[in-house]
């Protein structure tokens, strides 16, 4: 009897384990429709993170890249503004020479020091791997006096020395990008800009305190390939990057649990070839629909007025309030866009009739009435771009006069007798004195970005808007 009871107990135990396994399998099994939905959500959420890695890789990790500047924790500054050869990111500004550097806080905090900058606008914008603008140093945010600023990563547990830093910034990720912009007033002013740039310094905390630097974390960074953004390899790159984002923000933790259902997890290998064919197809469809939604959102990044989108699409994590589609659209249209309070952006995609701007089929004008130029505390500009990156965003236009923008300090502009200013937007140079106000366009669809550095209240309160672009018949 005892042996019979033992056998019965064993059979019951096997049944319980089997049923539990079946129940668990039913809970974890995913349908193609669910896979498509989750893949779309994950693509939208992670688009800025992977595109941000592209920029980090090209500028700071791959020395063979034509866009390489310097490794992490080393500052390299341009001696002149960007031109048509720069494809680091889409919609680069050509107003100010850049100072680019990446922060590596994986081993210890990093100190950024700035000099006195008494006679011009400057800004150092700090963007984490999510593309959140988590810190600012510069004229608006901290003033023009010299100072030392400490940047602390998410995993560091040490003590912060007291009394040595003007401010301490905490970053959600181990790595961050820094985009420095220093105002140049003319070509003759460039040496003054270079002198200021040489005063921007960076050092690990240990070195700043006179001690040896702690060894940097050695990482085998994956080679960037453009096809990553259109294939399921996207999720392989994402899994590689996710440890950089740990510990995950409480806002993201439910998403990460959901994404795990399609194989997304920190450091986990992702092999698309091992997926069920139906699931693989569904995930590819999800990526494609996610990309389409991001592209469509670029036209809705703010209020549309006179054919311009008054973009308000960048800021710290708190700014987005969980709207990751907006964050992705900002990364697609203009990676490393400033917060609106720092620089207001208007994206010009359409003419007064709501039609796409196209330098092959049309000539256009942008006219400001007297006294109605962009209200800026510092300066403003209108910059021309093609759409060669992905059909939405693009780069500065190669042109015979090497002019990529017109701004508030452009020399030689001709104003109307009534004090107005008309800019001519077309592929071929216009005749006569109009040539002085020519902003060359490609013989293809294009867009413009108006930047207002230090936007005044009429801009921030939506009381001012750019005039409509008029097509010349």
């Amino acid at each position: 009897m005892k042996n019979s009871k033992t056998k019965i107990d064993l059979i019951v135990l096997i049944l319980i384990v089997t049923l539990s396994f079946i129940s668990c399998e039913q809970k974890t099994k995913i349908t193609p429709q669910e896979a498509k939905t989750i893949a779309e959500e994950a693509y939208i959420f992670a688009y800025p993170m992977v595109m941000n890695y592209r920029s980090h890789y090209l500028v700071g990790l791959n020395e063979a890249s034509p866009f390489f500047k310097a490794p992490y924790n080393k500052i390299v500054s341009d001696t002149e503004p960007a031109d048509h050869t720069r494809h680091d990111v889409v919609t680069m500004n050509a107003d100010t020479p850049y100072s680019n550097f990446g922060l590596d806080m994986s081993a210890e905090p990093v100190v950024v020091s700035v000099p006195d900058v008494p006679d011009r606008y400057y800004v150092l914008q700090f963007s984490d791997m999510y593309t959140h603008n988590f810190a600012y140093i510069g004229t608006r945010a901290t003033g023009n006096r010299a100072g030392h600023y400490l940047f602390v990563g998410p995993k560091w547990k040490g003590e912060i020395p007291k009394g040595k830093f003007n401010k301490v910034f905490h970053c959600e990720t181990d790595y961050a990008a820094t985009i420095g912009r220093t105002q140049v007033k003319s070509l003759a002013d460039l040496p003054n800009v270079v002198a200021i740039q040489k005063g921007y310094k960076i050092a690990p905390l240990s070195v700043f305190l006179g001690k040896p630097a702690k060894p940097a974390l050695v990482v085998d960074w994956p080679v960037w390939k453009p096809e990553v953004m259109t294939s399921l390899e996207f999720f392989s790159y994402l899994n590689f990057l996710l440890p950089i984002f740990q510990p995950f923000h409480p806002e993201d933790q439910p998403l990460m649990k959901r994404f795990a259902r399609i194989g997304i997890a920190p450091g986990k290998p992702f092999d698309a070839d091992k997926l069920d064919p139906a699931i693989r197809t569904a995930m590819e469809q999800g990526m494609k629909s996610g990309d389409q939604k991001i592209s469509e959102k670029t036209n809705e990044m703010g209020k549309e007025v006179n054919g311009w989108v008054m973009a308000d699409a960048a800021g710290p994590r708190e700014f987005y309030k969980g709207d990751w589609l907006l964050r992705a659209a900002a990364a697609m249209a203009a990676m490393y866009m400033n917060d609106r309070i720092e620089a207001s952006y208007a994206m010009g995609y359409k003419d007064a009739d709501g039609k796409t701007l196209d330098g092959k089929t049309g000539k256009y004008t942008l006219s400001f009435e007297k006294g109605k130029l962009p209200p800026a505390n510092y300066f403003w500009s209108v910059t021309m771009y093609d759409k060669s990156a992905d059909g939405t965003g693009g780069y500065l236009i190669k042109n015979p006069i090497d002019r990529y923008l017109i701004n508030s300090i452009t020399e030689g502009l001709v104003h109307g007798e009534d004090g107005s200013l008309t800019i001519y937007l077309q592929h071929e140079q216009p005749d006569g004195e109009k040539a002085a106000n020519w902003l060359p366009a490609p013989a293809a669809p294009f867009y413009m970005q108006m930047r207002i550095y230090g936007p005044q209240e009429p801009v921030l309160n939506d009381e001012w808007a750019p005039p409509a672009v008029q097509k010349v018949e």
Side-chain angles (χ1 to χ4, degrees):
M1 291 290 293
K2 185 176 181 181
N3 288 341
S4 297
K5 186 177 184 304
T6 302
K7 289 180 179 178
I8 293 171
D9 290 343
L10 182 59
I11 292 170
V12 171
L13 179 61
I14 291 172
L15 286 171
I16 291 173
V17 171
T18 302
L19 289 171
S20 297
F21 177 79
I22 293 171
S23 175
C24 181
E25 186 178 42
Q26 289 173 339
K27 289 181 179 179
T28 57
K29 190 173 181 180
I30 190 168
T31 67
Q33 183 56 49
E34 289 173 322
K36 177 183 177 182
T37 300
I38 296 175
E40 178 185 296
E41 293 172 352
Y43 183 81
I44 291 171
F45 177 82
Y47 179 93
M49 299 147 70
V50 179
M51 280 297 286
N52 200 4
Y53 175 69
R54 170 192 178 273
S55 180
H56 278 246
Y57 183 81
L58 295 178
V59 175
L61 295 173
N62 178 18
E63 293 186 13
S65 164
F67 310 116
F68 181 78
K69 292 294 182 182
Y72 285 118
N73 296 345
K74 184 177 180 180
I75 299 175
V76 172
S77 296
D78 299 334
T79 56
E80 57 187 17
D83 61 18
H84 66 275
T85 64
R86 293 288 297 274
H87 289 187
D88 312 19
V89 295
V90 298
T91 321
M92 292 188 73
N93 103 71
D95 293 297
T96 62
Y98 281 102
S99 295
N100 296 99
F101 56 100
L103 299 182
D104 178 356
M105 299 164 282
S106 61
E108 62 175 314
V110 174
V111 181
V112 175
S113 303
V114 296
D116 281 323
V117 187
D119 63 343
R120 71 193 63 230
Y121 168 80
Y122 87 102
V123 61
L124 301 183
Q125 169 197 0
F126 297 84
S127 179
D128 65 22
M129 292 299 291
Y130 290 101
T131 67
H132 302 148
N133 294 334
F134 71 96
Y136 275 96
I137 298 172
T139 303
R140 178 196 62 84
T142 58
N144 286 60
R145 299 295 301 273
H148 304 292
Y149 300 86
L150 185 67
F151 290 80
V152 181
K155 302 179 181 67
W156 194 68
K157 303 297 182 183
E159 292 186 7
I160 296 174
K162 295 182 179 179
K164 291 186 176 293
F165 304 108
N166 296 66
K167 195 168 184 178
V168 177
F169 297 104
H170 292 270
C171 183
E172 283 191 54
T173 56
D174 289 326
Y175 303 88
T178 308
I179 306 90
R181 302 171 177 90
T182 308
Q183 183 182 9
V184 58
K185 299 178 181 180
S186 67
L187 289 177
D189 184 48
L190 278 170
N192 299 320
V193 173
V194 172
I196 292 168
Q197 291 171 327
K198 289 179 178 178
Y200 300 148
K201 305 292 184 181
I202 185 170
L205 176 59
S206 298
V207 174
F208 180 80
L209 296 176
K211 303 174 183 178
K214 294 183 179 180
L217 183 67
V218 178
V219 180
D220 185 15
W221 300 103
V223 174
W224 174 258
K225 296 177 289 186
E227 58 268 27
V228 166
M229 300 306 296
T230 56
S231 72
L232 291 182
E233 197 171 5
F234 177 93
F235 297 114
S236 177
Y237 276 63
L238 176 59
N239 281 3
F240 175 87
L241 293 171
L242 282 177
I244 294 171
F245 298 83
Q246 291 181 302
F248 295 120
H249 191 279
E251 189 175 35
D252 297 342
Q253 290 174 9
L255 287 172
M256 297 312 303
K257 290 180 180 179
R258 178 168 169 79
F259 297 162
R261 298 195 65 200
I262 59 171
I264 296 174
K268 179 180 178 180
F270 185 93
D271 190 348
D273 293 334
K274 294 182 179 179
L275 293 172
D276 177 276
I279 298 299
R280 177 180 179 133
T281 298
M283 290 179 63
E284 290 172 340
Q285 292 172 345
M287 282 188 62
K288 187 175 181 179
S289 60
D291 190 75
Q292 183 177 348
K293 286 185 177 180
I294 297 171
S295 180
E296 292 171 351
K297 185 68 175 179
T298 60
N299 292 316
E300 303 171 6
M301 295 194 301
K303 184 179 180 181
E304 182 174 342
V305 183
N306 298 334
W308 296 80
V309 177
M310 303 295 287
D312 188 9
R317 172 179 285 274
E318 297 75 26
F319 166 81
Y320 290 104
K321 299 181 177 64
D323 188 350
W324 307 136
L325 181 59
L326 177 61
R327 183 177 68 182
M332 177 179 282
M335 181 77 81
Y336 306 136
M337 184 184 294
N338 274 298
D339 295 12
R340 192 183 186 197
I341 194 173
E342 186 71 40
S344 180
Y345 299 88
M347 308 292 288
Y349 296 104
K350 304 174 183 177
D351 64 17
D353 297 322
K355 296 181 179 179
T356 299
L357 300 173
D358 191 330
K360 184 177 182 179
T361 60
K363 298 179 181 180
Y364 307 87
T365 59
L366 175 63
S367 296
F368 298 94
E369 295 178 11
K370 181 180 179 180
K372 293 188 178 180
L373 289 170
N377 287 322
Y378 308 123
F379 64 98
W380 61 266
S381 66
V382 177
T383 309
M384 175 74 67
Y385 301 93
D386 63 23
K387 295 184 176 181
S388 63
D390 54 15
T392 298
Y395 309 109
L396 298 166
I397 311 298
K398 183 179 181 179
N399 65 85
I401 62 171
D402 294 329
R403 174 180 280 179
Y404 307 101
L405 58 83
I406 286 178
N407 64 18
S408 50
I409 57 173
T410 298
E411 298 177 350
L413 295 179
V414 176
H415 290 256
E417 293 182 0
D418 59 356
S420 63
L421 175 65
T422 296
I423 299 173
Y424 297 90
L425 315 165
Q426 56 190 67
H427 181 59
E428 296 181 353
Q429 181 170 320
D431 298 328
E433 66 177 15
K434 293 179 180 179
N437 296 3
W438 178 37
L439 181 54
F446 67 87
Y447 67 103
M448 296 176 293
Q449 186 168 84
M450 182 180 295
R451 295 174 170 90
I452 305 175
Y453 292 91
Q456 296 177 356
E457 286 301 314
V459 179
L460 297 176
N461 294 336
D462 296 324
E463 296 172 0
W464 180 92
V469 174
Q470 302 292 336
K471 187 173 184 179
V472 178
E473 299 299 336

